[in-house]
Amino acid sequence: SAVISQKPSRDICQRGTSLTIQCQVDSQVTMMFWYRQQPGQSLTLIATANQGSEATYESGFVIDKFPISRPNLTFSTLTVSNMSPEDSSIYLCSVATQANTEAFFGQGTRLTVV
Amino acid sequence: AQKITQTQPGMFVQEKEAVTLDCTYDTSDPSYGLFWYKQPSSGEMIFLIYQGSYDQQNATEGRYSLNFQKARKSANLVISASQLGDSAMYFCAMRLFTGNQFYFGTGTSLTVIP
């Protein structure tokens, strides 16, 4: 299993600013993912954070808007840049170890943009 | 492409009764895992139960059981003896053994009535 510490747990931000979300895992993991969950919606994968290389983004998400860092096998950050009210969501960090095991999630960051 | 379908946006159940949450999936890959997660109003994702595509028996974890019907491509979650604390969103998810990404359904909101 893996224990994930994600922070901040919530924030209220002004439009046009940026917020960086941190995700710390208690063990080395190969795969780390960032999800967005808009109000009342399911989870949508933003990107896979790759250690030592650029993140792999899903369709509809771009690096300029959601830059991701993965400096080592236990840590990653997601930045939500130039925020607008449409970015108000829960952002979740997730890790998975082996192929047939569950994903572990951080506590989530509840972001409100005003 | 992989797809998860949850057709029940909301469900109500009387305390101490059993409830079934529906999930169907679509994939042409024979090797996959199916997962159920619970998301309380606090936002964290809590892993409940896992079923592998090659598992012969239905998975059980305490009050949770997974009714896996491979030919129908369904993986319904059964919660027995519902408790007030079971009130939450429930997400069905799938992951291919060959890939990293988790595919989530749209979720079912369960309300347990005293």
Side-chain angles (χ1 to χ4, degrees), chain A residues 12 19-20 36 62 87 96 106 113:
Chain A
I12 300 173
L19 175 72
T20 296
R36 180 178 73 182
V62 295
D87 294 320
V113 183

Side-chain angles (χ1 to χ4, degrees), chain B residues 66-81:
Chain B
L66 200 153
N67 184 1
F68 181 46
Q69 298 189 41
K70 194 170 182 177
R72 293 186 176 184
K73 293 189 174 179
S74 74
N76 299 338
L77 176 70
V78 180
I79 305 175
S80 62

Side-chain angles (χ1 to χ4, degrees), chain B:
Chain B
Q2 280 55 241
K3 186 177 181 182
I4 297 284
T5 302
Q6 294 179 255
T7 58
Q8 306 156 314
M11 290 280 287
F12 293 86
V13 64
Q14 205 77 38
E15 193 178 7
K16 300 180 184 177
E17 297 291 313
V19 63
T20 298
L21 307 184
D22 294 341
C23 172
T24 58
Y25 61 93
D26 189 22
T27 180
S28 57
D29 198 300
S31 304
Y32 52 87
L34 297 160
F35 306 82
W36 277 92
Y37 286 87
K38 171 184 178 181
Q39 187 180 42
S41 57
S42 52
E44 76 267 33
M45 294 286 283
I46 302 168
F47 166 72
L48 297 178
I49 195 166
Y50 163 81
Q51 180 86 41
S53 60
Y54 297 112
D55 294 343
Q56 296 296 315
Q57 299 208 346
N58 287 343
T60 60
E61 287 286 348
R63 294 187 299 112
Y64 304 108
S65 61
L66 200 153
N67 184 1
F68 181 46
Q69 298 189 41
K70 194 170 182 177
R72 293 186 176 184
K73 293 189 174 179
S74 74
N76 299 338
L77 176 70
V78 180
I79 305 175
S80 62
S82 296
Q83 303 172 355
L84 296 178
D86 294 334
S87 294
M89 283 291 291
Y90 289 80
F91 290 96
C92 180
M94 177 173 66
R95 178 187 180 188
L96 302 182
F97 288 175
T98 55
N100 301 328
Q101 185 173 353
F102 281 76
Y103 301 89
F104 287 87
T106 51
T108 296
S109 176
L110 177 67
T111 302
V112 181
I113 303 167

Side-chain angles (χ1 to χ4, degrees), chain A residues 20-99:
Chain A
T20 296
I21 303 167
Q22 298 181 4
C23 178
Q24 178 75 53
V25 189
D26 68 342
S27 59
Q28 293 186 341
V29 292
T30 305
M31 295 171 281
M32 293 183 74
F33 310 94
W34 287 98
Y35 288 88
R36 180 178 73 182
Q37 186 180 22
Q38 294 178 302
Q41 304 294 316
S42 186
L43 282 71
T44 301
L45 181 64
I46 297 172
T48 302
N50 304 308
Q51 195 269 327
S53 64
E54 225 171 68
T56 305
Y57 289 84
E58 297 300 308
S59 175
F61 298 96
V62 295
I63 187 171
D64 290 346
K65 176 66 176 177
F66 298 101
I68 289 171
S69 78
R70 179 89 192 270
N72 55 53
L73 291 175
T74 64
F75 186 78
S76 178
T77 66
L78 168 75
T79 299
V80 186
S81 303
N82 188 25
M83 289 183 285
S84 67
E86 292 71 33
D87 294 320
S88 297
S89 297
I90 298 174
Y91 292 85
L92 292 142
C93 167
S94 174
V95 303
T97 54
Q98 300 169 22

